Amino acid sequence: MTEGPKMVTVTINKSQYRAEEGETMLSVAMRNGIDIPHLCYEESLDPYGACRLCMVDHVTCGKRTMMTACTMRAKEGLEIMTDTPEIVKYRSTLFELYLSQAPKSDVIKKMAARYGVTKTRFLKKIVHDDPLGGKCILCGLCVRVCDEIMGGSAIGFINRGPSTVVNTPFFDENPACLGCGTCAKVCPTHAIEIEDQGDTRVMKSWSGTRIKLQECPDCGQYFVPKAMLEEIQSIPDPGIIDELKTLCPACRAKEIAKSVFKSTFQGSVYHG
Amino acid sequence: MTGFVGPIETPEDLSKVREIGLSKLLNRPRIAVGLSTCGIAVGGERLFARLKEIISSGGYNIALVRVGCIGFCKEEPIVNITIPGKPLVILHQVSENDAEAIVNAVLKGGVPDEKVLCKVSSWDHITRTIIYGTGFEQIPDYHDIPFFSRQTKVILRDAGFINPEDIDEYIAVGGYQAFVSAVSSRTPEEVIDIVKQSDLRGRGGAGFPAGLKWEITREAKGHLKYIVCNADEGDPGAYMNRNEMESDPHMLIEGLLIGAYAIGTSDALIYIRAEYPLAIERLRKAIDQAREYGLVGENILGTGFSCDIQLATGAGAFVCGESTALAASIEGKTGRPRPRPPRLTDKGIWGRPTDLNNVETFCNVPVILTRGAEWYRGIGAKGNTGTKVFSLVGKVENVGMVEVPLGTTLDTIVSEIGNGGAGGKSVKAVQTGGPSGGCIPARLFDTPVDFEHLNEAGSMMGSGGIVVMDEDTNMVDIARYFINFATSESCGKCVPCREGLKHTLLILNKVMAGKGTAADLEMLESLSDTIQATSLCGLGQTAPNPVLTTLKYFREEYEALISEGT
């Protein structure tokens, strides 16, 4: 018999909530509709704590310490405050820093405005020909999914401090890139640009890395990077029967529907 | 180099080695050249080569050895001479041109008078006293030199006296005695207890009780653990750890071995920056010698306790002094910190419980075990026991490595040991604690140097750099210098540190250029406050200190720059 997760009671802004022990406080808050801004959190990855926006006041014995909600684990009696004057003050300055770092990001502008920050006192960072279009805030999500989830490690951080950027090694086309596009999917500021040009996917932000796409033998649509398809097919049992393996999802759905129809109706007509 | 054959298996064997070592120190005329990186930088190697040439071509019965650094940088190169039965004599500002005179004097049983600094009749190595002899009445005593007399040498007890590349000499002055008696007659718990009772606090800067950290690591779940020495000293102007390792590497190894025994691990590691090639070389030699003597390796002294020490070299990133970044660096990843908890003691290198202490913390341990916790607590102040090594640099007359009991005032260090501003200028302020420490003005020099008082003054202990600034120094420029350092050393992971420090630097540049406004000063303050409060790791959390303290104590200098500009 397996035991379920242990449930605990935590306090957020003076109200009590049930939570799984060890769950991050950010996820408890989100589930209960309590708004805590955040940019570098992704449920499927290890907490990273870099964007600093989700800082909340952790209350213990009347003392308050600031901590990031994405790295704080729920336990019985834990109490946090998400909107104290200090938190609001620091959060505003952080938003100003973000507005200066990613001046082209509408996501950041909207998010900051939601917390009352519409302009920044700091010099805006302008980089000509920025492959990330002045939208990257270095949250590291793209680097982390590429490494931890996809196992590609096609991109990484380059330089350090204020000169840090994300790109492929030596800003060269990188054959290690599968072209899966997960980086773009997780990017909170939509900074990563990918474009499909006929049979080729161009990772515009990643040094123009080009990846060949697979054509669906049925409908002729290009639907998946070849390298990625090969990767999937190399798995001993991908759970897809051979005839369907190379089809695009739409054609695959059609084929499955046809075969289901055959086995239920045609079977009874011809062999009944 | 070593004189004893086979592993040390009993305390009696250790005594035999001690005799061999003592004979090297005392039995024949000896010329010892201070050859740490600092001595080498001012021509020590050339001097050594010249001495070697003279001695070997004449076939003289004089031992010539390299020793570590006695800490008086201003007087380098320093040479000491021992003639059996006579006091050890320290010579200063020696050049290769003096080599002939030195050898001639030694051959006649004397010393070259014009180069003499002082003499030492006997030296307390804390774990053992060496009696050199009597004579040379005309030469001032070591304790007559103000630079030395105000110091208390516990950690630097051997520095400049013994050959760091010879384990026998370390054993001669009482080395490895604490380790041997700990593994053969004390339980790990007893060792931890003594360290706890000594109130030893971590010398890396945070001042966490060392014994408690050992206990936490010992009790952490997990069969495999690590003990790691942080030798990633990277503060501009700070070189305490380098000197400790170059002058007395076995002291660190002994402390590390005792720590490994106490927390219950056989895996010890020294994380050292690659910019310290001589320290690395001497540590490697020392580890090899200790291994040869059976003090490192399998089944040490037949007790069943095994411990191996490995060196990991870092690429010299300041942030790698931060514990979690250091762990990442050891694992082969980019040195970037991660949020804590989990602390290293729970989840350190490769996920295993890891104890991390600074070089100097480990160096304190052998003497604590030999002389007892009570003795150690007698040095320093309550809650701040023992001594601390500082590197006294900047615009100060006596630049050097200074060891004083914790609680000594800044005034004693700067005015009495340092002899005030260089060239007779008046001292304006000091910065303690490295690039992220604060600047303390001269009017607060009665501040005792301990963890709490420095924090109260807006600064910190850090690893122990003291940078002196004189009347000619522009404090805004100083703040800019340190912010520039912190900005370029920021790993770039979190926003307040990476972006906040960049903007702090931009504003300081603007102020320095005479284009600042009153609003800029306000912005500096609020930005510094945010960086301190919201940064991920210690680098960012402390980096604004130079700005905040100069704004607090030297605001008029900022204002002058602003009014000039308008």
Side-chain angles (χ1 to χ4, degrees), chain A residues 48 52 90 98 100-101 161, chain B residues 336 490 495 498 503 529 534:
Chain A
Y48 190 61
R52 315 309 286 168
Y90 291 127
Y98 277 116
S100 98
Q101 192 199 355
Chain B
R336 293 180 126 209
S490 163
V495 178
R498 181 186 69 230
H503 290 293
D529 178 34
T534 60

Side-chain angles (χ1 to χ4, degrees), chain A residues 121, chain B residues 517-527 555:
Chain A
R121 290 170 293 169
Chain B
T517 62
D520 285 328
L521 296 198
E522 262 172 56
M523 193 143 102
L524 271 181
E525 255 165 355
S526 78
L527 188 54
R555 199 178 186 93

Side-chain angles (χ1 to χ4, degrees), chain B residues 410-463:
Chain B
L410 278 169
D411 192 52
T412 305
I413 297 174
V414 177
S415 311
E416 295 181 29
I417 300 174
N419 199 23
K425 294 235 164 105
S426 72
V427 173
K428 187 176 189 176
V430 296
Q431 200 213 22
T432 69
S436 34
C439 297
I440 302 173
R443 67 187 154 85
L444 295 181
F445 276 10
D446 57 349
T447 305
V449 179
D450 62 38
F451 292 100
E452 284 73 24
H453 281 98
L454 287 179
N455 284 350
E456 266 170 42
S459 187
M460 58 189 224
M461 179 74 81
S463 56

